Amino acid sequence: MSVPVLLFASYADAFGSRRLEVPVSAPLPVASLVEAMRGLPGGERLPATPLVAVNRQWVGAETMINPQDEVAVIPPVAGG
């Protein structure tokens, strides 16, 4: 089983794709998903606590992800 994760900007560049299938079983906490992502090629570029949205809502590391959830990992954005 895997959890689909949407990636944007520099994270999409790091993983080489805008969509990633992370080989984990849901339900699981966000922190576990991020840890699994770090083990994939390009995952070393993720910060300790990246911004994560589940079903278009910002969530913390303890939030549980269910199989049907939409998960996005979003890099910091700067502008001016």
Side-chain angles (χ1 to χ4, degrees):
M1 183 171 205
S2 63
V3 171
V5 177
L6 303 176
L7 302 167
F8 300 91
S10 62
Y11 295 164
D13 292 341
F15 286 97
S17 177
R18 295 182 69 194
R19 183 181 170 97
L20 187 66
E21 295 288 331
V22 182
V24 292
S25 294
L28 78 161
V30 166
S32 295
L33 177 67
V34 170
E35 188 62 32
M37 291 175 68
R38 283 201 182 91
L40 300 174
E44 70 279 357
R45 292 178 57 184
L46 286 177
T49 55
L51 295 174
V52 176
V54 175
N55 299 325
R56 301 181 185 197
Q57 299 288 319
W58 298 119
V59 298
E62 71 286 347
T63 299
M64 294 299 291
I65 298 169
N66 293 301
Q68 72 280 7
D69 288 340
E70 177 186 72
V71 180
V73 180
I74 302 169
V77 178

